[in-house]
Amino acid sequence: MSGPLTGLRVFDLTRILAGPMCTQILGDLGADIIKIERPGAGDDTRKWGPPFVKDAAGNDTTESAYYLAINRNKRSVTLDVAKPEGQELAKRLIARCDIFIENFKVGDMAKYRLNYDELKFEFPRLIYCSITGFGQTGPYANRAGYDFLAQGMGGIMSITGNPDGEPTKVGVAATDIVTGIFTSTAILAALQHRHVTGLGQYVDMALLDSQVGWLANAGLQYLTSGRVPVRLGNEHPSIVPYSVVKSADGFFILAVGNDSQFQKFCNFAGKPEWATDERFKTNPARVKNRVECYALVNGVTATKTTSYWMEGLEKLGVPVGPVNDIGQVFADPQVLARGMKVTMPHPLAGSGHVDLIGNPIKLSESPVDYKRPPPVCGQHTDEVLKELLFLEEKEIAELRAKGIV
């Protein structure tokens, strides 16, 4: 594997989304990801469909779209860590790794003798990372954690959706994804610490912590003012007009960021008097009078097509954009030009390949490399055991017969 993390190896005992998102990022950057899966079952998300990859006859295979989304650039090894012999094999593999990542419930790794306290003295350079719902400490530590729960408990649902509607989760598992991103950053920081000190450490990541961590300006609204933010639909709490607005044939995004842009919009809309109206002249005034402002803006924008507003306002430097569906996203020339859709060969796909979402990281000297498509369950078991532990085929066959691999 090429990439800036080439030479690093990860023992990946994660499944579902947050952990695999983290390890896919590390794998895209060149780390050798050894994805440990349960023999005969594999990552839970392999079954999370439809849709599934289709074979040559058009039938569903074992590979779900959900699984494909976050398991590129990994090698799959089946290993039963619930069995003592599997635990010993796991330790032998960990000895050849720099990083250990797991997302089991608090205490589960201790049952398998693979917890940090068990391993830290034997492997003092090991960076050990746990991802849980609520972290290793606190009154909720032993609770099971899921993205949906973290979104609800962490406040994001209270400010997402229409003002008169129900609390709404984000359309993707945003807390899981952000936790994976935060975790990759934490691991890279721990690697730098090891580079300086020669010592590994324990990294404790939680979904709820991560959710609270990306409340950002919405969280600071409350901490600064004491006022609890409310749902505003597509509107911005501090900028107006900054929302989805109507057009004659649909909707578009109007994102006016300052008074100069608002004046340009008003002139183009044929309403220059709005820019001098005391109710709308400045952004604080527009925020105070947001209901009246949006009523006037939507009344005008609804008279012309989306393309009319997009083309005209773009030329004036007024930020506007479409509201694309997912199909339109992956047909967008900018998205394609930036490599955000990639195609990789796949052994089970009838077409011979699968389309995947590209990595957004762009590095000039050590770019992301797409070496391995998401593996089928256990695809690399023999390869890894031979390469890292020097096992013979007979030994691997005996382990397989016992259900260890």
Side-chain angles (χ1 to χ4, degrees):
M1 303 279 287
S2 60
L5 300 185
T6 296
L8 292 172
R9 184 173 293 123
V10 178
F11 187 86
D12 179 8
L13 201 58
T14 69
R15 70 270 191 234
I16 315 298
L17 183 50
M21 170 60 69
C22 169
T23 54
Q24 177 167 278
I25 293 170
L26 300 178
D28 283 353
L29 294 172
D32 181 15
I33 310 299
I34 309 299
K35 181 178 177 67
I36 304 300
E37 302 194 67
R38 291 174 297 167
D43 191 310
D44 296 7
T45 62
R46 290 182 179 277
K47 303 178 182 68
W48 286 13
F52 294 91
V53 173
K54 300 289 187 181
D55 63 18
N59 299 315
D60 287 345
T61 67
T62 56
E63 310 302 284
S64 71
Y66 200 113
Y67 167 80
L68 292 181
I70 30 100
N71 283 289
R72 175 180 59 232
N73 279 336
K74 303 178 185 182
R75 295 198 280 178
S76 173
V77 173
T78 49
L79 179 62
D80 188 351
V81 299
K83 297 179 179 178
E85 197 169 348
Q87 294 159 17
E88 290 306 313
L89 205 59
K91 287 186 178 182
R92 291 175 64 188
L93 288 170
I94 292 166
R96 302 294 306 278
C97 294
D98 302 276
I99 302 158
F100 177 179
I101 310 179
E102 59 89 11
N103 63 347
F104 284 69
K105 288 187 295 184
V106 171
D108 279 3
M109 287 294 97
K111 293 189 300 184
Y112 303 142
R113 296 172 49 240
L114 296 173
N115 54 310
Y116 181 63
D117 287 341
E118 178 87 16
L119 300 178
K120 65 181 180 180
F121 297 110
E122 188 173 356
F123 309 114
R125 288 177 54 81
L126 181 68
I127 293 165
Y128 188 117
C129 177
S130 296
I131 304 173
T132 57
F134 302 99
Q136 302 295 309
T137 59
Y140 303 160
N142 291 317
R143 292 188 186 181
Y146 296 91
D147 174 273
F148 201 175
L149 299 179
Q151 287 198 37
M153 296 176 71
I156 197 66
M157 288 178 61
S158 74
I159 56 172
T160 303
N162 291 321
D164 56 352
E166 64 181 12
T168 304
K169 69 180 180 67
V170 180
V172 296
T175 303
D176 271 337
I177 293 167
V178 172
T179 301
I181 296 169
F182 276 143
T183 302
S184 66
T185 303
I187 287 169
L188 295 178
L191 280 168
Q192 174 61 13
H193 178 267
R194 189 181 77 174
H195 177 70
V196 174
T197 67
L199 296 175
Q201 62 180 293
Y202 186 65
V203 180
D204 174 11
M205 300 298 297
L207 296 183
L208 183 58
D209 294 351
S210 298
Q211 173 55 64
V212 174
W214 69 276
L215 286 176
N217 59 303
L220 262 293
Q221 271 189 277
Y222 168 73
L223 293 176
T224 302
S225 70
R227 295 191 297 271
V228 175
V230 297
R231 294 191 299 280
L232 294 173
N234 289 307
E235 295 181 22
H236 193 287
S238 307
I239 310 172
V240 173
Y242 194 98
S243 185
V244 170
V245 295
K246 297 176 182 178
S247 69
D249 56 356
F251 298 90
F252 68 97
I253 295 169
L254 177 63
V256 169
N258 56 50
D259 297 337
S260 175
Q261 291 174 357
F262 183 66
Q263 185 175 35
K264 291 176 183 178
F265 165 75
C266 295
N267 291 337
F268 183 76
K271 299 292 183 179
E273 65 274 15
W274 291 352
T276 57
D277 190 316
E278 291 300 322
R279 295 174 299 168
F280 314 126
K281 187 175 180 179
T282 66
N283 181 68
R286 293 191 295 274
V287 170
K288 182 179 179 181
N289 297 288
R290 66 169 62 238
V291 174
E292 298 95 322
C293 186
Y294 277 119
L296 291 172
V297 167
N298 276 279
V300 168
T301 57
T303 65
K304 303 287 185 180
T305 65
T306 295
S307 61
Y308 171 84
W309 294 110
M310 291 274 294
E311 293 169 9
L313 292 173
E314 278 182 358
K315 292 176 182 177
L316 297 173
V318 178
V320 289
V323 182
N324 287 334
D325 62 31
I326 303 299
Q328 291 169 322
V329 169
F330 288 108
D332 189 287
Q334 180 68 17
V335 171
L336 297 176
R338 295 286 289 175
M340 291 309 298
K341 175 183 173 183
V342 297
T343 299
M344 299 189 72
H346 194 282
L348 299 186
S351 62
H353 67 269
V354 292
D355 291 330
L356 303 173
I357 300 173
N359 191 306
I361 298 171
K362 307 293 190 286
L363 299 172
S364 65
E365 302 304 320
S366 52
V368 164
D369 200 356
Y370 304 110
K371 288 286 190 180
R372 300 180 186 274
V376 298
C377 188
Q379 179 179 344
H380 303 98
T381 301
D382 290 26
E383 173 185 305
V384 169
L385 294 180
K386 290 176 182 178
E387 175 189 327
L388 301 187
L389 304 184
F390 310 106
L391 297 189
E392 301 290 341
E393 289 188 8
K394 181 180 178 181
E395 295 175 281
I396 298 172
E398 290 173 353
L399 291 168
R400 189 166 279 120
K402 295 177 182 178
I404 305 301
V405 301

